[in-house]
């Protein structure tokens, strides 16, 4: 007898991870590959975090913790909101999570019923869509192009019908674009007036190249703020994030977290305690991302790929390649085969127009970006000649 496989579990792959496997396979076969496909810093956690981890291993049992995280880390996160944004947050409102990925599951389950309609930007981070659909929610894609600065706004939302939720990210993945504080305030008001639960993904805060990002928490407490130690704090594999839960959801988020995860990883929590004092080291990484961004932007523009979303933050360039291909997944495979550069096809981020775009991550070492830039400047003019490159 055939056993049943659930339809809700059949979410699309995260193509960036599939590209990583293809790139790893080439490397295993002895080829050099420059990894511009996966969004993670090329650096380890800050020195003080590594030292705290070593001390914790020597001195601590590393057992389960409170489901919402250890008190000193929640206090350190609350102090960060005061210092960074001038916003008062009670440590009791903070739940430490297993990466922001776990925070999304908790937030979506606590805030929405199956069938609820949640809006998000296209292009946008694919896991929002895929987690929502695994939980039986309807995703409402808001097309956000150049005119909208690649971000949702009240005019675009007004055309989307009745909504129960909205997810925003500033800086965003894959575009790096930001929502100005006044526009974020307007979005918060829009959501509040219509009973739409706002979820603000602030994972790329700290990695900004102009004005710093403002937290949605500054504009009201009904929304859910999600953040992570993965990106600015350079701690992807430690699987640690946090959320600020509004009072009406706090208990349900705590109970869900107890049942789903028991607790976030204890070693990572103890290690993260000094991370907010590591700004000098971490800002050094941001300075490198800026140099990488500028070099890659100049290289692509010189090769005729000038339509690039304004990368005001994060560590990605989202680049239109429609002049070179109708299918950026095929294009990415060719780029990997011919010049050993792995990038992510836009389809991952945008089911509507993603075939015309791709994403480069420039979070890696500057030598890699310089090498990628020289390979691209030689290859792009060649590959652009003649009819659009297909298979
Ligand atoms: C916009 C965005 N949100 C969330 C995540 C998930 O990160 P983590 O679970 O490591 O916190 C990512 C990872 O790439 C991301 O780009």
């Amino acid at each position: 007898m055939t056993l049943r496989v659930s339809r809700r579990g059949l979410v699309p792959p995260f193509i960036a991870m599939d590209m990583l496997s293809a790139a790893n396979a080439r490397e295993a076969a002895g080829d050099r590959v420059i990894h511009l496909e996966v969004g993670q810093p090329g650096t380890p956690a800050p020195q003080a975090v590594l030292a705290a981890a070593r001390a914790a291993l020597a001195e601590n049992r590393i057992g389960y913790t409170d489901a919402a995280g250890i008190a000193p880390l929640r206090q350190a996160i609350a102090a960060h909101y005061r210092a960074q944004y001038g916003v008062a947050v009670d440590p009791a409102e903070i739940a430490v999570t297993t990466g922001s990925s776990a925070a999304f599951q908790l937030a979506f389950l606590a805030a929405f019923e199956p069938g609820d309609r949640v809006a998000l930007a296209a292009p946008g981070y694919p896991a929002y869509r895929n987690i929502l659909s695994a939980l039986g929610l309807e995703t409402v894609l808001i097309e956000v192009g150049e005119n909208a600065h690649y971000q949702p706004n009240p005019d675009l939302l007004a055309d989307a019908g009745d909504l129960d939720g909205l997810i925003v990210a500033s800086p965003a993945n894959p575009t790096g674009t930001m929502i100005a504080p006044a526009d974020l305030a307007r979005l918060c008001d829009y959501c509040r007036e219509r009973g739409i639960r706002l979820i603000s993904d602030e994972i790329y805060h700290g990695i900004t190249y102009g004005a710093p990002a403002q937290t949605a928490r500054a504009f009201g407490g009904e929304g859910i703020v999600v953040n992570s130690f993965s990106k600015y704090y350079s701690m992807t594999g430690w699987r640690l994030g946090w959320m600020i839960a509004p009072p009406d959801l706090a208990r349900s988020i705590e109970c869900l977290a107890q049942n789903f995860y028991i607790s976030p990883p204890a070693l990572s929590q103890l290690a993260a305690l000094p991370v907010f004092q590591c700004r000098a080291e971490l800002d050094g990484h941001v300075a490198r991302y800026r140099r990488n961004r500028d070099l890659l932007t100049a290289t692509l523009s010189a090769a005729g790929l000038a339509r690039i979303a304004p990368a005001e933050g994060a560590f990605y360039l989202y680049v239109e390649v429609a002049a070179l291909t109708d299918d950026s997944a095929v294009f990415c495979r060719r780029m990997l085969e011919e010049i050993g550069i792995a990038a992510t096809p836009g389809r991952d981020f945008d089911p509507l127009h993603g075939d015309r775009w791709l994403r480069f991550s420039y979070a890696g070492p500057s030598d890699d970006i310089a090498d990628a830039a020289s390979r691209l400047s030689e290859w792009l003019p060649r590959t652009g000649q003649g009819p659009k490159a297909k298979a």
Side-chain angles (χ1 to χ4, degrees), residues 172-249:
N173 176 6
T175 58
T177 58
M178 292 176 66
I179 306 175
D183 294 334
L184 185 57
R186 261 194 294 280
L187 272 176
C188 291
D189 291 345
Y190 182 92
C191 288
R192 183 179 311 110
E193 285 155 15
R194 288 162 184 76
I196 300 170
R197 184 79 71 173
L198 179 80
I199 297 169
S200 177
D201 180 357
E202 303 186 351
I203 187 170
Y204 291 103
H205 280 206
I207 309 178
T208 54
Y209 308 111
Q214 179 55 288
T215 174
R217 178 50 193 256
F219 306 117
E222 316 81 354
I224 303 172
V225 168
V226 174
N227 208 323
S228 173
F229 293 98
S230 288
K231 309 291 175 164
Y232 174 71
Y233 302 97
S234 195
M235 294 178 65
T236 46
W238 299 74
R239 308 308 304 128
L240 206 63
W242 74 85
M243 62 203 295
I244 308 179
D248 57 337
L249 301 183

Side-chain angles (χ1 to χ4, degrees), residues 40-359:
Q40 67 173 337
T43 44
Q47 289 304 317
V49 168
L50 297 176
R54 286 187 199 101
L57 273 179
E59 292 155 18
N60 192 286
R61 189 170 59 89
I62 316 294
Y64 293 140
T65 71
D66 279 353
I70 57 175
L73 185 57
R74 295 163 80 187
Q75 283 154 10
I77 295 169
H80 167 68
Y81 279 87
R82 252 190 321 277
Q84 180 64 30
Y85 307 104
V87 170
V89 178
D90 190 321
E93 299 175 86
I94 292 165
V96 179
T97 55
T98 305
S100 68
S101 300
F104 289 118
Q105 294 175 39
L106 296 170
F108 298 164
L109 276 166
F112 304 121
E113 297 291 355
D116 278 1
R117 303 181 78 241
V118 180
L120 34 88
Y125 178 57
Y128 305 142
R129 240 181 21 245
N130 297 338
I131 300 172
L132 286 167
S133 86
L135 296 178
L137 289 139
E138 186 185 337
T139 58
V140 181
L141 293 184
I142 310 290
E143 264 187 82
V144 293
E146 210 164 49
N147 293 346
H149 199 61
Y150 301 90
Q151 289 283 1
N153 62 47
D155 290 340
L156 293 175
L157 292 174
D159 294 335
D162 282 345
L163 295 174
D164 302 291
L166 168 68
I167 306 173
V168 294
S170 167
N173 176 6
T175 58
T177 58
M178 292 176 66
I179 306 175
D183 294 334
L184 185 57
R186 261 194 294 280
L187 272 176
C188 291
D189 291 345
Y190 182 92
C191 288
R192 183 179 311 110
E193 285 155 15
R194 288 162 184 76
I196 300 170
R197 184 79 71 173
L198 179 80
I199 297 169
S200 177
D201 180 357
E202 303 186 351
I203 187 170
Y204 291 103
H205 280 206
I207 309 178
T208 54
Y209 308 111
Q214 179 55 288
T215 174
R217 178 50 193 256
F219 306 117
E222 316 81 354
I224 303 172
V225 168
V226 174
N227 208 323
S228 173
F229 293 98
S230 288
K231 309 291 175 164
Y232 174 71
Y233 302 97
S234 195
M235 294 178 65
T236 46
W238 299 74
R239 308 308 304 128
L240 206 63
W242 74 85
M243 62 203 295
I244 308 179
D248 57 337
L249 301 183
R251 181 64 180 148
S252 122
I253 284 173
E254 187 181 10
C255 295
L256 286 163
Q258 290 167 350
N259 285 281
F260 274 19
Y261 309 106
I262 301 189
S263 73
L267 178 60
S268 304
Q269 294 185 66
L270 292 164
L273 285 174
V275 81
F276 294 109
Q277 274 86 59
C278 299
R279 292 202 78 100
E281 186 176 343
L282 296 169
D283 287 343
H285 302 335
V286 178
R288 178 169 44 81
Y289 302 149
R290 179 196 293 274
R291 289 193 298 275
N292 290 352
R293 176 194 69 157
D294 293 347
L295 176 59
L296 210 48
T297 305
T299 304
L300 295 170
S301 304
L305 296 179
R307 196 159 185 212
I308 302 174
E312 300 160 316
F315 36 52
Y316 307 110
L317 286 186
Y318 196 56
V319 186
E320 194 190 47
V321 286
L324 304 179
T325 183
D326 293 331
D327 184 341
S328 59
V330 171
F331 186 82
C332 284
R333 275 199 297 278
R334 276 192 49 218
M335 194 160 62
L336 179 61
E337 274 159 30
E338 294 179 18
I339 53 170
I341 293 180
T344 306
R347 174 71 70 84
D348 225 3
F349 310 102
D350 184 355
L352 307 172
H353 305 294
D355 284 341
R356 304 156 57 92
W357 295 76
L358 58 79
R359 186 195 75 176

